[in-house]
């Protein structure tokens, strides 16, 4: 009898695995757990997501990562970076930004939620030899640890332009700065005009900047509203340069109370067919838990003039694809 029971359990497990692999739609959320501020990136043929572990600030002490080759089946990679490996971090590690450069993988992160320039914290950078880490603190101190132009040093996004220049867009408290990074991505260097921190804050900006380039145009996006409220949303601008000016065009992502609330803080990836996807967090409809945020994916589409169409948030998610 025991052998039969074990056999039935094994067959049931195999059927579950096969069923998961046969799914054609991702569903939303795309993986279990409370995760926010998802940074998605494609490394080779695999899509990776690096989110904030959504919890009390004192418990946001590590980052997990998730990988998928089709946006439907996801593998969890726990503890890619832990607070114990960042000597200056004490709480509130959040909103990672990742990029591959110089044969290494870089993970930029915010820590400590500093409120003034007498506190230690800000934006740090960690490096690893593979996407799943383990990542190690590269500097032993914040890369940006001061409040400049009114921008709290959080929510960084690193963008590589076509000429190989690396820029970082960052900032909370309704202010956004832009800096240029050194070739090794471990320091901030002045722009050609001698300025180091450029204020580029567009109308309505609150936090969560993201930059992408398409058809020679720079698409700058950001989150508006309150991160715990129903008005959380994503807006965008288009410019001919990475410096702007960034004139707000409109809202592209917002809640649908029948599905979910507080949709925002996003990133964007593209598959091998040229389809774009917006990766973002949202709150289950009717759930008022402060940290109850999960990661979702929906299609991001453009009209014939290059403007972004409003995103329809869904329960179904996106279809299986390849990178």
């Amino acid at each position: 009898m025991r052998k039969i029971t074990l056999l039935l359990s094994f067959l049931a497990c195999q059927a579950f695995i096969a069923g998961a692999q046969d799914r054609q739609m991702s569903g939303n959320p795309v993986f279990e757990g409370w995760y926010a501020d998802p940074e998605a990136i494609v490394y080779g043929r695999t899509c990776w997501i690096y989110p904030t572990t959504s919890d009390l600030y004192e418990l946001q002490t590590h980052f997990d990562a998730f990988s998928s080759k089709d946006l439907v089946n996801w593998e969890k990679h726990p503890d890619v970076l832990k607070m114990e490996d960042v000597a200056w971090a004490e709480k509130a590690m959040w909103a990672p930004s990742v990029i591959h450069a110089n044969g290494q993988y870089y993970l930029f992160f915010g820590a400590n939620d500093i409120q003034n320039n007498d506190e230690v914290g800000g934006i740090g950078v960690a490096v690893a030899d593979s996407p799943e880490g383990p990542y190690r603190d590269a500097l032993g101190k914040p890369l940006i640890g001061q409040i400049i132009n009114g921008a709290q040093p959080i929510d960084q996004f690193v963008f590589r332009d076509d000429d190989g220049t690396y820029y970082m867009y960052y900032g909370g408290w309704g202010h956004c700065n832009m800096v240029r990074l050194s070739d090794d991505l471990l320091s901030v260097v002045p722009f050609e005009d001698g300025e180091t921190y450029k204020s580029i804050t567009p109308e309505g900006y609150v936090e969560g900047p993201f930059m992408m380039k398409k058809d020679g145009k720079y698409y700058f996006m950001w989150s508006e509203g309150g991160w715990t409220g129903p008005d959380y949303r994503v807006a965008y601008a288009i410019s001919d340069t990475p410096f702007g000016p960034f004139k707000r065009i409109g809202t592209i992502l917002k809640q649908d109370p029948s599905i979910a609330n507080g949709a925002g803080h996003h990133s964007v990836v593209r598959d091998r067919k040229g389809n774009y996807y917006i990766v973002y967090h949202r709150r289950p409809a009717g759930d008022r838990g402060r940290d109850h945020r999960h990661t979702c994916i929906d299609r991001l589409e453009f009209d014939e003039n290059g403007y972004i169409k409003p995103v329809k948030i869904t329960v179904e998610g996106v279809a299986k694809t390849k990178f």
Side-chain angles (χ1 to χ4, degrees):
M1 180 62 72
R2 175 175 172 77
K3 290 183 177 180
I4 294 175
T5 301
L6 291 174
L7 177 60
L8 291 174
S9 297
F10 173 77
L11 292 175
C13 181
Q14 292 298 105
F16 176 81
I17 294 173
Q21 293 176 339
D22 288 341
R23 288 189 298 118
Q24 296 302 307
M25 300 294 292
S26 66
N28 277 325
V30 292
F31 42 75
E32 294 183 356
W34 300 124
Y35 291 99
D37 315 328
E39 169 89 352
I41 193 169
V42 177
Y43 289 140
R45 297 295 187 185
T46 303
C47 180
W48 288 78
I49 295 179
Y50 298 80
T52 298
T53 302
S54 189
D55 209 329
L56 298 175
Y57 289 172
E58 292 75 15
L59 299 178
Q60 287 182 186
T61 59
H62 73 284
F63 291 112
D64 298 328
F66 298 83
S67 64
S68 175
K69 294 184 179 300
D70 59 13
L71 296 184
V72 172
N73 301 289
W74 292 89
E75 178 182 358
K76 181 177 180 179
H77 306 270
D79 296 333
V80 297
L81 175 64
K82 296 181 289 184
M83 184 171 287
E84 63 193 61
D85 296 320
V86 182
W88 54 272
E90 298 178 350
K91 66 175 183 178
M93 292 177 66
W94 62 39
S97 178
V98 295
I99 198 166
H100 180 253
N102 307 315
Q104 293 183 300
Y105 295 86
Y106 294 75
L107 189 155
F108 296 79
F109 59 95
N112 293 359
D113 187 30
I114 64 170
Q115 302 297 302
N116 57 65
N117 286 336
D118 294 326
E119 297 179 339
V120 176
I123 297 170
V125 54
V127 296
D129 295 323
S130 63
E132 66 270 26
Y135 288 83
R136 58 191 183 277
D137 185 16
L139 298 175
K141 61 181 181 180
L143 171 66
I144 299 177
Q146 297 284 297
I147 298 165
I148 299 169
N149 297 329
Q152 187 187 31
I154 62 169
D155 288 8
Q156 64 295 319
F157 177 74
V158 177
F159 171 72
R160 183 185 186 275
D161 208 349
D162 295 339
D163 64 359
T165 304
Y166 292 95
Y167 301 111
M168 177 187 286
Y169 302 85
Y170 78 90
W173 294 351
H175 295 275
C176 186
N177 286 338
M178 175 188 185
V179 297
R180 180 179 176 180
L181 296 177
S182 58
D183 290 341
D184 64 5
L185 278 65
L186 299 181
S187 62
V188 173
V189 297
F191 294 100
E192 292 183 359
D193 62 5
E195 192 175 10
T196 302
Y197 293 85
K198 290 183 179 293
S199 177
I200 57 161
T201 309
E203 174 193 356
Y205 177 92
V206 172
E207 60 190 15
F210 180 85
M211 173 66 81
M212 60 174 277
K213 193 173 184 180
K214 179 180 183 294
D215 299 330
K217 299 291 186 179
Y218 294 85
Y219 288 74
F220 186 58
M221 311 176 203
W222 62 90
S223 290
E224 301 178 336
W227 72 274
T228 60
D231 61 339
Y232 206 51
R233 59 191 179 271
V234 173
Y236 82 112
I238 303 175
S239 179
D240 293 326
T241 80
F243 310 101
F246 299 113
K247 181 175 176 56
R248 188 185 193 279
I249 294 175
T251 300
I252 59 173
L253 178 74
K254 63 181 181 180
Q255 72 169 14
D256 178 344
S258 67
I259 296 176
N261 302 320
H265 203 129
H266 77 298
S267 53
V268 177
V269 292
R270 186 179 68 173
D271 68 14
R272 68 169 70 173
K273 294 182 179 179
N275 298 312
Y276 287 84
Y277 303 87
I278 187 166
V279 185
Y280 64 98
H281 76 241
R282 68 192 194 196
R283 302 172 181 276
D287 189 333
R288 298 185 179 278
R290 191 197 78 147
D291 300 303
H292 287 184
R293 298 173 290 174
H294 50 210
T295 294
C296 300
I297 303 177
D298 280 302
R299 285 290 302 275
L300 184 75
E301 297 178 308
F302 301 80
D303 69 17
E304 63 275 11
N305 296 313
Y307 293 110
I308 301 175
K309 296 180 180 180
V311 175
K312 176 177 173 54
I313 68 171
T314 68
V315 174
E316 297 80 15
V318 295
K320 184 178 289 187
T321 190
K322 293 182 179 180
F323 292 92

